[in-house]
């Protein structure tokens, strides 16, 4: 799925991908999240504006979790199992 995004959006910087359950972000959660299960990544587009990259992400049917952090300039993507995408 990440290769598909890169093919459509150009180079991507991986801000965060797999996190072990002891990672400080994961350790604060009641149970490990999608990063700790290897199902999520936070990606920074290097060849297009964040808004254009968001459209690329929304068009990828395997992505079911999408979170935008405009201040940090990245989009969280995950492949959770759900019928409809969850956006935040």
């Amino acid at each position: 799925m990440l290769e598909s995004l890169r093919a459509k959006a150009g180079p991507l910087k991986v801000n965060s991908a797999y996190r072990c359950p002891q990672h400080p972000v994961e350790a604060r959660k009641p149970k490990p999240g999608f990063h700790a299960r290897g199902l999520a990544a936070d990606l920074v587009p290097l060849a297009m504006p964040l808004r254009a990259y968001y459209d690329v992400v929304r068009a990828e049917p395997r992505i079911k979790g999408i979170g935008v952090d405009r201040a940090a300039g990245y989009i969280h993507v995950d492949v959770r199992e759900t019928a409809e995408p969850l956006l935040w």
Side-chain angles (χ1 to χ4, degrees):
M1 184 263 310
L2 296 178
E3 286 295 327
S4 174
L5 288 177
R6 186 178 63 81
K8 295 171 187 165
L12 300 169
K13 175 185 167 191
V14 179
N15 236 19
S16 178
Y18 175 77
R19 297 182 193 137
C20 73
Q22 291 77 34
H23 184 282
V25 172
E26 298 299 325
R28 288 192 299 265
K29 298 176 181 179
K31 66 179 187 171
F34 291 101
H35 284 274
R37 292 190 272 162
L39 300 174
D42 298 339
L43 305 169
V44 178
L46 300 177
M48 64 176 49
L50 195 63
R51 177 65 178 117
Y53 177 58
Y54 175 79
D55 294 335
V56 171
V57 168
R58 286 293 312 262
E60 173 55 58
R62 293 174 286 184
I63 297 174
K64 297 298 183 177
I66 302 170
V68 179
D69 188 328
R70 288 179 37 196
Y74 72 82
I75 295 182
H76 165 98
V77 297
D78 68 57
V79 291
R80 68 184 69 210
E81 292 191 22
T82 181
E84 294 297 320
L86 177 63
L87 309 171
W88 68 95

